[in-house]
Amino acid sequence: MATLQGKRIRFALLLVLPLTAFAAPAATARSASAPVNLEVPTISGSAAQSATLTATNGSWNGDQPIAYALQWYRCNTAGGSCAEIDGATGQSYVLVADDVGKTIRVRVTATNANGQSSSLSAPTSTVVSSSGPAPVNTALPVVTGVAAYGGTLTTTTGSWSGSPAPTYAYGWLQCDPNGASCNPIPGATSATYRVQAGDVGATLRAQVTATNSSGSVSVQSLPTTTVGRSSGPQATTPPSIVGSPAVGSTLTISTGSWSGSGAIDYAYEWDRCDDQGAGCAPIDGATGRTYAVAAADAGSRLRATVVATDANGSTSASAGTTAVIGGSGTTPTPVGPTPAPGGGGVSVPAVTGAPGLVAQPVVSGLLEAGATLRTSDGSWTSAPGIRFAEAWFRCDAKGETCKQIAGATHATYRLTRADAGSTFRSEVTALNLSGSASARSDATAVIGKGPAIRLRGGRYSIPAGSLARTGRLVVSWVRAAGTHARPAVRLAVGDGHGHAVRGVAVSVAVRGYRVATGHTGRSGSATLRLRAKGTARHGRLAVSVRARTAHRGPSAHRVVTLRVR
């Protein structure tokens, strides 16, 4: 906390502005601004005859006041060849028989004293004819996950009947320890929920609302257990052991992938088990990421465990056990033919079996069109001479109905716009002289439209629209810029994973200066010029930076202090 002119202000960063003074520029009139669309209009409601669709105006920037006019359109199933619907100019529209087999869109025109502009919504799904029953719940939603601060909960939709098939909306409720006196949690409107500090001591319920053209019905899950204070990090991809299970070789454990709060520290433990993988006991001094297989390990199996620790606690995950450790004579031999004893000709290395899967492949990388995915080979037991072949599969949004991508036969795959809306799996085939075996990765999350733009240092820039409403936005840094005559603030915005976010609406408020606004550019940064309201102030000035992807989208706020002489 710091004091500025008798007021208490919270500062997240002390930044020294290398200016000798802030000169008060000549007063200038604010430039006129016609409406600019920040977020396209949206349509809610069931796409069925007799149902009511409702449109939002979207989000707009520009001089106030802004007036809005709407026009509804009837389009083909692809959302094209649209024609105006006579008289449909209100905020809502009731679907009629002529709409069956079509999609519906709405155009919003924003007008102020400086001009006007329009924005067109995305099309609805194809309108169906319906006179069936409203949704009826036949099985309650089920919540899974860790009910502790920092944990993630996920709800199913439950089971429903109704015609046409209902669409679903989600909400989360915070309840007392008995599961009663429940109140909605603001902004928690997806099928997953990250447990917050304010939930500690309460129970949580998921609420699912099913809607079709005949009505809407809401039901709640059973309450969770009482939310604890800490769950520690959660393993999203399990660890795996890489290396040959033979005396004299070196094994390495991957940490896997984890979600947690802030920085995560890792510790390792290696155990020796019997030949059935039971009776495991820690190996003295084996606490590193790698382990040199010793003679004492012959005939046993080895197991490795990763302990992940963040600000909330510690959690462990095991990589499972290796195959039975072979003696020193089973140390892998070089790939390819070797000279036969006594010279003259070659002999083939002895083979003890085809590859066996220890840990499946894992796909990593930014899930946006324009970015590159990479697959690991997984972990395998095998005889000498193992090699790998990779393939990529494009799947539907549920990770099912997968089709192999022709020509995608490398460990990396560059995502294109055609991949948006799909999920991906990699398939790795391990081969040696005894045979082959294949394994597929788990499906990724759904690929975003992007496009992701590769920046220096391996980072990517993604558009603001790529962040889900449950995503995270971060003001990465704030610095001084400009000259003493034209002071400015330079800042950068990211997504919390190290990726820059472009197209974010940002504003800077400084005491004694007009609010400056703008949008982040290609690299996720923006420079905002300051204009004094009157005499420039001296000393320390509080700068409040706000960033938002869209209306009700992810936002961030950061306060810094500029030292001005």
Side-chain angles (χ1 to χ4, degrees):
M1 302 290 288
T3 303
L4 175 61
Q5 297 185 354
K7 296 184 179 179
R8 299 185 65 83
I9 302 175
R10 179 171 295 169
F11 301 117
L13 174 68
L14 182 63
L15 185 65
V16 178
L17 184 66
L19 305 178
T20 57
F22 271 11
T28 57
R30 183 181 177 185
S31 59
S33 175
V36 176
N37 183 251
L38 302 179
E39 183 178 7
V40 299
T42 59
I43 298 174
S44 60
S46 178
Q49 183 180 346
S50 301
T52 299
L53 301 182
T54 302
T56 67
N57 291 329
S59 180
W60 298 79
N61 197 6
D63 291 343
Q64 300 293 329
I66 297 178
Y68 302 99
L70 285 77
Q71 174 64 57
W72 294 82
Y73 290 84
R74 185 179 295 122
C75 312
N76 62 23
T77 55
S81 302
C82 300
E84 290 186 3
I85 302 174
D86 291 341
T89 57
Q91 206 75 37
S92 61
Y93 172 68
V94 178
L95 295 165
V96 298
D98 288 345
D99 299 320
V100 174
K102 306 290 186 180
T103 61
I104 303 297
R105 305 180 77 168
V106 66
R107 182 183 297 278
V108 175
T109 301
T111 304
N112 65 9
N114 304 307
Q116 66 175 216
S117 59
S118 298
S119 181
L120 186 65
S121 74
T124 64
S125 57
T126 302
V127 177
V128 297
S129 177
S130 172
S131 58
V136 175
N137 181 254
T138 56
L140 291 176
V142 176
V143 173
T144 57
V146 180
Y149 171 44
T152 298
L153 302 178
T154 302
T155 183
T156 65
T157 59
S159 298
W160 298 80
S161 63
S163 179
T167 58
Y168 303 102
Y170 304 93
W172 291 86
L173 309 174
Q174 186 187 87
C175 312
D176 66 23
N178 296 319
S181 301
C182 300
N183 295 301
I185 300 174
T189 56
S190 71
T192 60
Y193 175 67
R194 181 74 177 270
V195 183
Q196 305 297 310
D199 299 322
V200 173
T203 59
L204 299 170
R205 291 178 184 261
Q207 179 171 290
V208 177
T209 301
T211 303
N212 66 11
S213 58
S214 299
S216 295
V217 177
S218 297
V219 296
Q220 297 175 11
S221 70
L222 295 174
T224 65
T225 57
T226 302
V227 174
R229 290 190 176 277
S230 173
S231 66
Q234 300 298 309
T236 55
T237 301
S240 61
I241 297 175
V242 179
S244 178
V247 173
S249 66
T250 297
L251 302 180
T252 302
I253 183 173
S254 71
T255 58
S257 299
W258 297 77
S259 63
S261 178
I264 299 177
D265 296 322
Y266 300 99
Y268 309 94
E269 177 185 297
W270 292 83
D271 301 326
R272 185 182 295 118
C273 313
D274 62 26
D275 59 358
Q276 301 300 312
C280 302
I283 302 172
D284 290 342
T287 57
R289 190 171 179 183
T290 61
Y291 175 71
V293 183
D297 300 319
S300 303
R301 294 176 185 264
L302 297 177
R303 182 180 67 182
T305 300
V306 176
V307 180
T309 303
D310 66 5
N312 297 319
S314 298
T315 309
S316 62
S318 175
T321 59
T322 65
V324 175
I325 303 299
S328 58
T330 62
T331 302
T333 56
V335 178
T338 57
V346 297
S347 65
V348 178
V351 175
T352 60
L357 180 67
V358 176
Q360 68 189 109
V362 175
V363 174
S364 59
L366 178 63
L367 304 179
E368 294 288 337
T372 298
L373 298 182
R374 177 178 295 275
T375 182
S376 68
D377 289 326
S379 182
W380 303 79
T381 62
S382 72
I386 189 170
R387 57 190 177 89
F388 300 101
E390 295 88 6
W392 291 88
F393 290 78
R394 185 186 294 112
C395 312
D396 62 21
K398 296 182 179 180
E400 303 169 354
T401 315
C402 301
K403 294 183 179 180
Q404 186 171 355
I405 302 173
T409 56
H410 301 283
T412 59
Y413 175 77
R414 184 176 176 82
L415 296 166
T416 67
R417 290 187 177 181
D419 299 323
S422 302
T423 61
F424 273 74
R425 295 178 185 266
S426 66
E427 182 177 87
V428 175
T429 301
L431 310 94
N432 66 9
L433 296 176
S434 290
S436 64
S438 298
R440 286 192 186 183
S441 70
D442 290 334
T444 66
V446 174
I447 307 301
K449 295 181 180 179
I453 300 174
R454 191 172 182 86
L455 305 175
R456 291 183 179 179
R459 297 169 60 244
Y460 283 99
S461 164
I462 60 176
S466 292
L467 268 69
R469 291 191 175 183
T470 56
R472 184 184 178 202
L473 198 65
V474 176
V475 177
S476 306
W477 51 260
V478 185
R479 300 171 185 167
T483 66
H484 71 281
R486 297 191 64 191
V489 173
R490 183 169 172 78
L491 56 92
V493 178
D495 66 348
H497 298 287
H499 305 303
V501 184
R502 62 185 185 273
V504 176
V506 291
S507 64
V508 171
V510 182
R511 185 185 298 273
Y513 294 83
R514 300 182 186 277
V515 174
T517 61
H519 289 79
T520 56
R522 182 177 184 273
S523 63
S525 63
T527 301
L528 304 182
R529 301 288 179 183
L530 300 178
R531 294 183 179 179
K533 293 180 179 178
T535 303
R537 296 176 180 268
H538 302 277
R540 294 183 177 182
L541 299 180
V543 178
S544 175
V545 179
R546 293 189 179 274
R548 182 177 289 278
T549 58
H551 181 59
R552 295 184 179 179
S555 62
H557 179 211
R558 187 168 182 175
V559 177
V560 301
T561 298
L562 302 182
R563 187 188 301 275
V564 182
R565 301 191 194 93

